[in-house]
Amino acid sequence: MPFHNAVSPAELAEAGGDIDYRLARQSVLRAFREGRVGTDEICDAHPELMRVARSSGEPTQRRCEVCADADLVQVRYVFGPRLSKGGRCVTTAAELERIAARKGTFTCYTVEVCPGCGWNHLARSHVLESRA
């Protein structure tokens, strides 16, 4: 599940609204390189996340550190009032801006995904600043 280390909007606001998960990512990759976790434990992207990553993920120019066969892509999900319970996958900057313009607090989660092996990790979460 990609959002296992997600935090609430209140926690995000206290943290200045932006949380970077690079250290957690590095820890998981270190454990993988040292053989403490296997690919079956970390290459576990949900089929829907894989579908979105392949069809509309944003390319990163960074090679997957698990399989080294594919470039990572980023997928963004937004959660907040009047959005579905499972959030909304946002595929363009314009769509993200439209949501940010709405009234309410919205949280955006950016997940990096390898469309080849299924490696996925929460990369960043931030509160969208409402302009309404």
Side-chain angles (χ1 to χ4, degrees), residues 2 6 21 33 54 58 60 68 71 75 118 126:
Y21 294 93
R33 284 190 292 272
R54 289 179 177 136
E58 182 182 322
T60 67
D71 287 340
V75 176
H126 67 281

Side-chain angles (χ1 to χ4, degrees), residues 25-37 65:
R25 177 186 187 277
Q26 290 171 354
S27 176
V28 170
L29 289 171
R30 185 179 319 107
F32 168 71
R33 284 190 292 272
E34 293 172 355
R36 292 183 284 130
V37 297
E65 293 184 53

Side-chain angles (χ1 to χ4, degrees), residues 28-29 31-33 37-45 65-66 117-121:
V28 170
L29 289 171
F32 168 71
R33 284 190 292 272
V37 297
T39 54
D40 59 322
E41 295 174 82
I42 61 173
C43 297
D44 60 350
E65 293 184 53
V66 175
C117 71
W119 154 254
N120 65 104
H121 199 276

Side-chain angles (χ1 to χ4, degrees), residues 14-113:
E14 287 178 23
D18 193 351
I19 297 177
D20 186 320
Y21 294 93
R22 255 182 300 201
L23 292 176
R25 177 186 187 277
Q26 290 171 354
S27 176
V28 170
L29 289 171
R30 185 179 319 107
F32 168 71
R33 284 190 292 272
E34 293 172 355
R36 292 183 284 130
V37 297
T39 54
D40 59 322
E41 295 174 82
I42 61 173
C43 297
D44 60 350
H46 187 277
E48 180 63 13
L49 179 59
M50 290 295 287
R51 186 193 67 75
V52 171
R54 289 179 177 136
S55 66
S56 56
E58 182 182 322
T60 67
Q61 308 271 338
R62 288 190 353 257
R63 209 65 168 158
C64 176
E65 293 184 53
V66 175
C67 72
D69 289 335
D71 287 340
L72 296 172
V73 297
Q74 290 186 339
V75 176
R76 286 189 210 107
Y77 289 95
V78 177
F79 294 83
R82 296 171 306 285
L83 294 177
S84 72
K85 195 178 198 180
R88 180 167 170 186
C89 181
V90 178
T91 59
T92 66
E95 188 177 8
L96 194 61
E97 287 179 24
R98 280 194 300 275
I99 293 172
R102 294 180 181 182
K103 186 175 182 177
T105 300
F106 297 89
T107 305
C108 179
Y109 294 92
T110 303
V111 181
E112 63 182 9
V113 182

